Amino acid sequence: MKPKLFLALLLGTLCLKVTAQKNASADISSDSKLTVSRFIYGQFAEHLGHGIYGGFWVDKDLPVEKQDRIRLDIVNALKKIKIPDLRWPGGCFADEYHWRDGIGPRDQRPRMVNTNWGNVTDDNSFGTHEFLELCKLIGCEPYIAGNVGSGTVEEMAKWVEYLNLDGESTMAELRKKNGHPEPYKVTLWGVGNESWGCGGNMTPEYYSNLYKRYATYARDYPGAQLKKIASGPNSADYNWTEVCMKNIGTGMWGLTLHYYTVPTGDWGHKGSATNFNEGEYISTMVNCLKMEELVTKHSAIMDKYDPEKKVALVVDEWGVWTDVEPGTNPGFLYQQNSLRDALLAATTLNIFNNHCERVKMANLAQTVNVLQSLILTDKDKMLLTPTYHIFDLYKVHQDAKYLPVKLNSPDYEFNGNKIPAVNISASQDAAGKIHISLVNLDPHNTIKVSTSLGDLHWNKVSGQILTSANLTDVNTFQSPDKVHITNFNGAKKEGGKLSVALPAKSVVTLELN
Ligand code: AHR
């Protein structure tokens, strides 16, 4: 071949590569009777690092607006995104928490050492009443994890009675004496946490028998029928699910699943929250997308024993788990939160929305200053993370009618890893508005998504987007709004279809009406 011709062909191919339009297509249908439970958008707050102490619950002299010692700027931020429930007191902490230590006059409460998380002293100033006051202020439901690992059946039974009995008993009198005459009517009730690990290192056979004992005496009081949630598998431990479903079956309201995305996949060296390259980005996303496989396979086992899908899969711990920020206490699990983590959150929420027939509840770990937080604080300062903004964008799906989507996505490939570049979920709210959430995981290419909506009627489209210049971009106390939501104008009606130019590394939520 002549050198000139060869050069021209080579240049042509290169140009084609750079400018090649990437396309995806989606079909959204109205053919569903399912609802996206609002509880998929739940949160989790453990006695861990500065999640509770120095997070929600601060020193009485801290110059921020407070009720008692509860920070109201945090409360207001969580109200805005409509968090449906808050899980407490753990996590691993739950199985060494003795609730009686956290009631009554604060200056008389026993002090304990938090052996799971940094061996710090917990003065028990934040206990049952403080937690329930926090939930009331946020307007969310409390989800309490009872102690199976080191607590007794009686201790759990009495906690439920203390909370929920509207009658005469020593427990009800004690609650009244401690300032709450009315029963709290807590219904979301965890029977242990990670009973395969920090919650007692049990086998599923042993745990499922114990579950039955503890659950029997955790009584339903009038107006407070418990939704009992059994401690479920660690990521791909399918045998745990099998045994629990066989032994407990519909004797539980829900079965938990815990899965964390570790960027490198190596718990010994998880990877930095702020300093990562494209290779580590795609490996994070490969690990994040494992949630799809986990939910599918655990659901299939549950289907065998519960074809009517009465038992919920409750993913009550999920999120990215990185190395702690340099110089911080390794036991406090404090990590920054980047655009990458927002993409991960949006992708995971799309998976949950698309599995709403079985996933009826989920809780991101862990709200404030711990792991993949919504909020970070530094003394009186507070910032909203990129992940917070995802929950803000996605709140429109809460309790909306699920709309099934068939998607064809191009791949995003790097370093021998390959994943679908686009993911999506859709719902229709009570007012008839259609909401579509789209994620483009490809950090380089805009993707044109052409969507048909069958018999769903719509005329107008508007949208909002979360993106930023770099995957590593974070919000800091110096620059708290670097990653923020803006209006999105890249969607239009084109020949009856919805056409979206989905920018690289972005999350878009559209509203059609
Ligand atoms: O969220 C941090 C810890 O992760 C929780 O305490 C525990 O349940 C899990 O292992």
Side-chain angles (χ1 to χ4, degrees):
M1 196 185 295
K2 289 188 178 150
K4 266 192 180 165
L5 183 62
F6 174 74
L7 203 65
L9 279 174
L10 184 72
L11 276 175
T13 322
L14 281 178
C15 281
L16 252 179
K17 258 206 144 163
V18 173
T19 54
Q21 165 84 56
K22 284 202 162 192
N23 294 306
S25 64
D27 289 311
I28 300 183
S29 127
S30 62
D31 186 18
S32 159
K33 290 197 163 45
L34 296 168
T35 299
V36 176
S37 166
R38 70 179 183 282
F39 291 104
I40 285 177
Y41 294 85
Q43 302 298 325
F44 170 34
E46 179 168 10
H47 288 227
L48 194 178
H50 293 304
I52 299 289
Y53 298 103
F56 282 108
W57 186 248
V58 291
D59 200 275
K60 61 180 177 16
D61 298 325
L62 194 76
V64 288
E65 212 192 330
K66 300 179 282 295
Q67 176 155 321
D68 192 354
R69 288 170 54 191
I70 297 172
R71 265 185 97 137
L72 292 180
D73 50 358
I74 294 182
V75 165
N76 291 333
L78 296 178
K79 262 171 122 161
K80 180 174 179 247
I81 57 169
K82 300 191 172 148
I83 71 160
D85 70 280
L86 189 61
R87 178 173 183 248
W88 173 85
C92 296
F93 182 80
D95 280 294
E96 63 176 7
Y97 182 64
H98 300 285
W99 69 272
R100 283 188 174 94
D101 294 348
I103 56 168
R106 284 186 199 138
D107 57 356
Q108 290 165 33
R109 294 185 191 175
R111 289 147 74 86
M112 70 174 289
V113 174
N114 188 337
T115 55
N116 281 290
W117 307 116
N119 285 317
V120 291
T121 299
D122 185 325
D123 67 2
N124 273 306
S125 57
F126 190 88
T128 298
H129 290 258
E130 290 78 13
F131 171 63
L132 291 162
E133 185 58 24
L134 170 63
C135 291
K136 189 173 151 200
L137 288 170
I138 297 171
C140 72
E141 283 204 34
Y143 168 20
I144 293 183
N147 179 344
V148 170
S150 71
T152 64
V153 174
E154 186 203 9
E155 183 181 348
M156 187 185 286
K158 289 276 193 288
W159 198 3
V160 176
E161 182 185 333
Y162 180 89
L163 291 163
N164 288 349
L165 176 68
D166 188 8
E168 283 179 26
S169 81
T170 306
M171 286 300 109
E173 292 315 311
L174 191 56
R175 185 193 68 234
K176 290 175 197 166
K177 192 173 138 218
N178 288 332
H180 208 273
E182 299 302 320
Y184 280 110
K185 299 195 176 162
V186 173
T187 59
L188 295 169
W189 195 261
V191 182
N193 168 73
E194 296 196 351
S195 303
W196 39 263
C198 64
N201 288 303
M202 304 174 198
T203 62
E205 290 79 8
Y206 181 69
Y207 169 73
S208 48
N209 282 334
L210 264 193
Y211 169 89
K212 288 190 251 188
R213 270 189 73 207
Y214 279 77
T216 299
Y217 302 99
R219 301 291 190 193
D220 291 337
Y221 293 99
Q225 191 174 5
L226 293 181
K227 292 180 171 139
K228 292 170 200 163
I229 299 170
S231 171
N234 177 20
S235 53
D237 183 353
Y238 299 113
N239 181 51
W240 188 280
T241 300
E242 186 86 42
V243 174
C244 286
M245 288 306 295
K246 195 163 160 194
N247 291 351
I248 307 171
T250 54
M252 56 190 161
W253 180 84
L255 179 69
T256 68
L257 163 65
H258 288 184
Y259 176 67
Y260 286 97
T261 300
V262 173
T264 59
D266 171 3
W267 280 94
H269 162 66
K270 296 183 272 298
S272 160
T274 52
N275 185 11
F276 52 87
N277 57 26
E278 190 169 346
E280 202 161 302
Y281 165 68
I282 194 166
S283 96
T284 307
M285 291 306 159
V286 167
N287 293 334
C288 158
L289 287 163
K290 281 194 185 139
M291 186 64 92
E292 172 68 39
E293 177 185 324
L294 292 172
V295 167
T296 304
K297 290 191 173 167
H298 286 293
S299 297
I301 297 167
M302 295 173 84
D303 286 349
K304 275 204 298 184
Y305 298 93
D306 171 33
E308 290 175 52
K309 302 189 197 302
K310 289 184 175 153
V311 181
L313 184 59
V314 176
V315 193
D316 63 2
E317 287 189 30
W318 67 273
V320 64
W321 190 324
T322 69
D323 294 334
V324 297
E325 289 308 306
T328 64
N329 187 328
F332 284 11
L333 310 187
Y334 177 78
Q335 65 190 49
Q336 247 296 0
N337 194 294
S338 65
L339 175 65
R340 172 194 68 180
D341 304 338
L343 296 171
L344 181 150
T347 298
T348 308
L349 291 170
N350 279 346
I351 293 172
F352 294 159
N353 286 351
N354 287 322
H355 282 276
C356 64
E357 83 291 355
R358 187 60 87 176
V359 179
K360 295 183 184 145
M361 191 165 162
N363 299 74
L364 176 72
Q366 304 199 0
T367 325
V368 183
N369 293 331
V370 177
L371 298 176
Q372 188 168 357
S373 315
L374 300 179
I375 290 169
L376 298 176
T377 65
D378 178 16
K379 299 189 186 72
D380 57 328
K381 294 195 212 91
M382 182 198 98
L383 65 80
L384 307 174
T385 65
T387 300
Y388 174 92
H389 295 306
I390 296 302
F391 279 79
D392 195 6
L393 286 178
Y394 274 57
K395 66 183 184 228
V396 290
H397 296 298
Q398 293 192 22
D399 283 343
K401 177 186 166 176
Y402 170 64
L403 300 176
V405 192
K406 281 198 191 111
L407 174 74
N408 264 311
S409 166
D411 288 328
Y412 155 54
E413 248 180 297
F414 188 82
N415 244 5
N417 277 316
K418 186 157 80 170
I419 55 174
V422 177
N423 62 77
I424 185 170
S425 69
S427 68
Q428 185 169 34
D429 70 15
K433 289 180 192 152
I434 299 159
H435 294 107
I436 308 172
S437 289
L438 297 129
V439 183
N440 182 359
L441 296 176
D442 185 327
H444 306 295
N445 296 292
T446 295
I447 297 177
K448 189 179 170 205
V449 187
S450 172
T451 304
S452 63
L453 284 112
D455 58 0
L456 289 157
H457 295 294
W458 63 285
N459 292 310
K460 275 196 318 202
V461 56
S462 59
Q464 292 189 300
I465 182 167
L466 189 83
T467 188
S468 195
N470 307 295
L471 287 163
T472 49
D473 283 352
V474 298
N475 290 337
T476 62
F477 295 103
Q478 291 70 41
S479 184
D481 286 323
K482 188 176 177 99
V483 186
H484 62 277
I485 296 174
T486 53
N487 285 337
F488 176 69
N489 301 315
K492 55 181 186 286
K493 202 168 189 174
E494 220 172 50
K497 287 196 174 183
L498 171 69
S499 171
V500 186
L502 192 60
K505 51 176 162 37
S506 73
V507 180
V508 166
T509 292
L510 300 172
E511 180 171 302
L512 276 59
N513 52 64

